[in-house]
Amino acid sequence: MSCCGAQSALDNCEEIASKNLQSVAEENLLTASHDRGDGTVQTDFTVPDMHCIACIKTIESGLDNLDFVQQARANLSLKRVSVIWQREKGSASQIDRELDRLGFEHMPFDLEDAACADHDTSRRLLLSLAVAGFAAANIMLLSVSMLSPVPSKYC
């Protein structure tokens, strides 16, 4: 076998590995997506580098230029991008590559993971509120006794 044959075999192996990585990435993106029931899929991404209206315009116009994307909306306060696209005309990995091309670091946003995190946060905040309420009630009881008028016979 010549060196050219070895190189073509190496190129073939790299091509197969690249296709396998793309299919794994597509599966990961689809698990973070949900089917809307009308032939479209909604995929949400977290984009931590989005910080101004120009970023929103760049992301939305870049994703809207893809033929299979019906709607792309960026939310600056949540730093999240929601994309509604047609499954039979495109793929989630194409959206992923377009966000890379636009220069924005991103990751798929999974609503179930966020719900678990929100549940933990809510539980912690509720416990903090209970402790603060207990302390406030004790302080109020002490202040009521100090502010009540003292009968003159004890003076």
Side-chain angles (χ1 to χ4, degrees):
M1 186 186 317
S2 71
C3 64
C4 296
Q7 182 61 35
S8 67
L10 182 62
D11 289 342
N12 190 24
C13 289
E14 287 176 356
E15 182 178 324
I16 291 171
S18 174
K19 285 181 182 179
N20 287 339
L21 285 175
Q22 287 175 355
S23 66
V24 168
E26 179 72 17
E27 285 181 29
N28 289 340
L29 288 169
L30 286 177
T31 57
S33 304
H34 67 277
D35 191 2
R36 294 171 42 100
D38 58 352
T40 60
V41 177
Q42 180 174 346
T43 305
D44 294 326
F45 295 93
T46 300
V47 184
D49 294 341
M50 183 172 43
H51 62 281
C52 65
I53 195 71
C55 296
I56 291 173
K57 183 163 177 51
T58 301
I59 290 171
E60 287 181 353
S61 62
L63 292 176
D64 281 337
N65 287 336
L66 296 174
D67 294 336
F68 60 95
V69 173
Q70 284 187 346
Q71 179 182 7
R73 293 294 170 252
N75 186 327
L76 182 61
S77 62
L78 296 175
K79 295 189 181 285
R80 194 175 305 155
V81 175
S82 179
V83 183
I84 299 173
W85 53 280
Q86 298 172 346
R87 176 176 256 164
E88 59 272 351
K89 293 184 180 180
S91 69
S93 59
Q94 289 175 298
I95 298 169
D96 186 52
R97 284 194 300 273
E98 181 65 18
L99 284 171
D100 283 337
R101 188 191 69 76
L102 293 170
F104 290 95
E105 182 181 326
H106 61 281
M107 62 195 80
F109 176 78
D110 192 2
L111 190 57
E112 291 176 6
D113 289 344
C116 290
D118 286 345
H119 177 70
D120 293 341
T121 302
S122 297
R123 186 179 173 123
R124 187 172 39 98
L125 288 174
L126 184 61
L127 180 62
S128 298
L129 179 66
V131 170
F134 178 75
N138 284 329
I139 290 171
M140 189 172 25
L141 284 173
L142 288 172
S143 66
V144 165
S145 66
M146 295 180 81
L147 295 176
S148 64
V150 178
S152 60
K153 67 179 182 178
Y154 294 113
C155 293

